[in-house]
């Protein structure tokens, strides 16, 4: 049994496919052979589902899904699955309510994440609020959703909540941006006592000298607590002469002060290689948004958007991926400092 521990609720029915027999070249993570798990035209009026997040719920799985409607506008749809692989979706968009119980429809909602903290589930997404900004809502039963005030003014994207308070505060990663296809971007962290008022902003990590993440980076799946620190899967982007390429990176943040990066893998963990990652509405995109993970078996199932067209899954053992990140770590001063205030 590994010395490294994962601290999270058990998920004995985690979706899983065993490691392939042929040796893995590079990071110890492997794609589901039946990818993509969500294909085109999954719901009437929705052309593509991608960049979506899932959680275990009542012995099965639920999720919030980015559905690109046939009118080209993205919104968030709810889905459920018995096995975490085959999904059924509500045909209508999630009917968010505001704090007064009135209907609340964010304009253009995309790239949702979903995180459980104590007894509440929080969806965090990007939306149009006079430019790209962060939207949030909460639910306890996935039937009624109440909107939470926008945490930040524009422009910002890729907000990811930590699954527990740290030193009494909620913590959230985000990536200040512009309103377009942002040709820059570092990951920052902010904290809040109540999920409404945010401050104590710190820099977590930036673009670095490794080409696959040299243009911009952004938070991906909700951090996983381990005895080595917070394990984060994020996206790193390089700008080629033929457009952006989105790969998946891995880092480990300090448990008490997650603005400090303890280890950061200089190699990507996954980069577009399969047809569903290289070919689609936006080619060459692997965009991680969620994991399901089980401390007892050490398994992680990673969900990622593929080419802005599909959802794919990949699998790894958390101790192997943590060890790989540590063995190939390269951190610089801007990673390890407190993040300047
Ligand atoms: C980013 C986001 C993602 C998308 C990616 C590639 O800016 O909008 O939703 O997957 O671009 O198109």
């Amino acid at each position: 049994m590994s010395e490294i521990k994962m601290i999270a609720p058990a998920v004995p029915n985690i979706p899983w496919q065993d490691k392939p027999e042929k040796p893995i070249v590079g990071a110890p993570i492997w794609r589901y052979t039946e990818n993509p798990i969500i294909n085109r035209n999954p719901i009437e009026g929705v052309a593509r589902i991608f960049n979506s997040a899932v959680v275990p719920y009542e012995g099965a799985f639920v999720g919030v899904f980015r559905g690109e409607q046939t009118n080209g506008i993205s919104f968030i749809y709810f889905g459920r699955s018995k096995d975490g692989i085959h999904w059924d979706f509500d045909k209508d968009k999630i009917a968010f309510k505001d704090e007064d119980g009135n209907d609340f429809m964010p304009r253009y909602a995309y790239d949702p994440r979903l995180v459980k903290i104590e007894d509440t589930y929080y969806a965090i997404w990007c939306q149009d609020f006079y430019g790209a900004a962060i939207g949030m809502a909460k639910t306890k039963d996935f039937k009624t959703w109440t909107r939470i005030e926008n945490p930040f003014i524009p422009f910002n994207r890729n907000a990811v909540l930590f699954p527990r308070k740290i030193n009494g505060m909620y913590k959230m990663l985000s990536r200040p941006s512009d309103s377009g296809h942002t040709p820059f971007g570092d990951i920052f962290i902010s904290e809040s006592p109540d999920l409404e008022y945010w401050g104590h902003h710190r820099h977590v990590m930036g673009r670095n000298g490794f080409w696959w993440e040299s243009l911009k980076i952004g938070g991906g799946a909700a951090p996983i607590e381990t005895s080595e620190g917070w394990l984060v899967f994020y996206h790193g982007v390089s700008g080629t002469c033929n457009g952006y390429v989105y790969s998946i990176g891995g880092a480990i943040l300090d448990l008490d002060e997650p603005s400090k990066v303890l280890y950061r893998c200089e190699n990507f963990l996954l980069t577009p290689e399969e047809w569903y990652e290289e070919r689609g509405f936006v080619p060459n995109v692997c965009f991680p948004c969620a994991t399901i993970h089980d401390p007892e078996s050490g398994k992680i199932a990673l969900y990622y958007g593929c080419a802005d067209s599909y959802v794919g899954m990949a699998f790894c053992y958390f101790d192997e991926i943590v060890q790989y990140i540590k063995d190939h770590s390269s951190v610089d001063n801007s990673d390890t400092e407190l993040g300047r205030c």
Side-chain angles (χ1 to χ4, degrees), residues 51-297:
N51 301 2
S52 300
V54 304
V55 290
Y57 182 66
E58 294 187 337
F61 303 93
V62 296
V64 286
F65 293 83
R66 172 178 178 166
E68 199 104 326
Q69 301 172 96
T70 45
N71 63 8
I73 296 177
S74 274
F75 208 80
I76 301 172
Y77 291 78
F78 180 69
R80 54 184 74 72
S81 170
K82 287 202 170 72
D83 61 6
I85 294 174
H86 302 91
W87 290 88
D88 292 321
F89 303 105
D90 287 352
K91 69 176 182 15
D92 297 322
K93 304 166 193 147
I94 292 181
F96 296 108
K97 300 279 183 193
D98 68 15
E99 298 82 341
D100 301 322
N102 301 314
D103 291 345
F104 172 76
M105 273 287 164
R107 269 168 213 250
Y108 201 93
Y110 57 107
D111 298 353
R113 274 54 166 205
L114 185 59
V115 183
K116 185 180 187 196
I117 309 177
E118 294 161 12
D119 62 350
T120 304
Y121 297 85
Y122 297 90
I124 317 114
W125 60 82
C126 309
Q127 66 179 33
D128 181 35
F129 166 57
Y130 302 91
I134 310 298
M136 278 178 81
K138 63 181 175 183
T139 184
K140 288 193 178 175
D141 57 8
F142 294 102
K143 294 189 179 91
T144 53
W145 291 84
T146 308
R147 181 236 174 172
I148 299 174
E149 280 285 335
N150 298 5
F152 307 129
I153 56 173
F155 303 92
N156 209 320
R157 286 193 177 105
N158 295 308
V160 179
L161 267 175
F162 282 68
R164 68 164 170 85
K165 291 182 190 163
I166 299 172
N167 300 321
M169 302 296 256
Y170 296 100
K171 299 265 185 179
M172 186 155 72
L173 303 175
S174 73
R175 211 283 307 286
S177 64
D178 64 12
S179 233
H181 301 301
T182 320
F184 61 87
D186 292 359
I187 298 178
F188 289 77
I189 192 166
S190 309
E191 66 179 36
S192 169
D194 55 8
L195 288 168
E196 188 166 347
Y197 296 98
W198 292 88
H200 286 211
H201 313 291
R202 301 284 182 270
H203 184 263
V204 179
M205 58 190 202
R207 299 147 271 184
N208 61 16
F210 299 105
W211 194 69
W212 64 271
E213 55 174 344
S214 56
L215 186 82
K216 58 176 169 175
I217 58 174
I224 300 174
E225 185 167 7
T226 80
S227 50
E228 302 297 287
W230 294 102
L231 168 62
V232 293
F233 293 97
Y234 64 97
H235 67 257
V237 183
S238 63
T240 74
C241 62
N242 203 23
Y244 292 174
V245 175
Y246 283 70
S247 303
I248 300 178
I252 296 170
L253 312 180
D254 188 89
L255 279 180
D256 283 331
E257 183 44 75
S259 89
K260 284 190 195 158
V261 182
L262 302 179
Y263 308 99
R264 177 173 178 182
C265 191
E266 65 180 30
N267 303 330
F268 52 72
L269 304 180
L270 273 189
T271 199
E273 284 173 6
E274 294 291 338
W275 66 264
Y276 49 86
E277 299 161 349
E278 290 183 334
R279 206 168 73 219
F281 190 74
V282 179
N284 297 317
V285 179
C286 293
F287 196 90
C289 288
T291 58
I292 292 175
H293 43 277
D294 173 45
E296 317 225 306
S297 58

